[in-house]
Amino acid sequence: MKAKVYVTLKQGVLDPQGKAIHHSVELLGFENIQDIRQGKYFEIQLNGSLSKDEAEKLVTQIAKEVLSNPVIEDYKVEIEDL
Amino acid sequence: MKAKVYVTLKQGVLDPQGKAIHHSVELLGFENIQDIRQGKYFEIQLNGSLSKDEAEKLVTQIAKEVLSNPVIEDYKVEIEDL
């Protein structure tokens, strides 16, 4: 089973990396871009013996405790049945 | 309109950052994790005047030319109608 975790900065938290990318994209001549924000993305391969509920619980705990900083970041977990 | 871009390392490309996270997660006592790979995630806010097709073309070009390294990375673009 495979899980995907998306970690994004909370609204209102400054994102200098996203701002830098936005600036570069404008310098390169791309138009119609209002804002770019960068986040993190994780693909987690799980043992097949877990149920979907167990997988979701496990990955949510990892997302909360390891992959994100809950003070400034939000996370989203998706479990993919294969 | 909002676009999401996911950039992941191609299969077979070593991911030392993902390996380090996997190792940390195991040290913390989490079980049943086979592999973790880290990618990048971008949220792009577009001007509302673009059609969905135009938005997809623009963001695909940015993903290809700016956000990813096509030698070692794949990208996926999603356009969200709001």
Side-chain angles (χ1 to χ4, degrees):
Chain A
M1 210 180 302
K2 204 166 130 182
K4 297 177 175 180
V5 178
Y6 310 89
V7 175
T8 50
L9 285 169
K10 288 187 179 177
Q11 267 208 328
V13 177
L14 279 178
D15 177 11
Q17 199 171 1
K19 283 270 168 298
I21 296 167
H22 186 192
H23 186 62
S24 301
V25 164
E26 281 182 337
L27 285 182
L28 288 167
F30 292 103
E31 283 169 7
N32 292 312
I33 306 291
Q34 272 177 2
D35 193 28
I36 298 184
R37 284 177 82 81
Q38 173 155 21
K40 286 176 282 184
Y41 170 62
F42 302 90
E43 287 181 351
I44 303 180
Q45 194 66 45
L46 299 160
N47 278 346
S49 57
L50 293 177
S51 73
K52 200 171 173 179
D53 278 359
E54 287 171 331
E56 187 152 0
K57 207 182 260 182
L58 172 67
V59 174
T60 301
Q61 205 189 344
I62 292 174
K64 198 172 162 182
E65 297 180 12
V66 187
L67 302 178
S68 72
N69 174 354
V71 178
I72 55 165
E73 292 172 328
D74 289 322
Y75 60 86
K76 200 179 85 189
V77 170
E78 272 174 19
I79 306 289
E80 241 178 36
D81 258 324
L82 291 184
Chain B
M1 210 180 301
K2 203 166 131 183
K4 295 178 177 179
V5 179
Y6 309 89
V7 176
T8 49
L9 285 169
K10 289 187 179 177
Q11 267 208 328
V13 177
L14 279 179
D15 177 10
Q17 199 171 1
K19 282 270 168 296
I21 296 167
H22 186 193
H23 186 62
S24 301
V25 164
E26 281 182 337
L27 284 182
L28 288 166
F30 292 103
E31 283 169 7
N32 292 312
I33 307 291
Q34 271 177 3
D35 193 29
I36 298 184
R37 285 177 80 82
Q38 172 155 21
K40 287 176 282 185
Y41 170 63
F42 302 91
E43 287 182 353
I44 302 181
Q45 194 66 45
L46 299 159
N47 277 346
S49 57
L50 294 177
S51 72
K52 199 171 172 178
D53 278 359
E54 288 171 330
E56 186 152 359
K57 206 181 261 183
L58 172 67
V59 174
T60 301
Q61 204 188 344
I62 292 174
K64 196 172 162 181
E65 296 181 12
V66 187
L67 302 179
S68 72
N69 174 353
V71 178
I72 55 165
E73 290 172 328
D74 288 323
Y75 61 86
K76 200 179 85 188
V77 171
E78 271 174 20
I79 306 291
E80 240 178 38
D81 257 325
L82 292 182

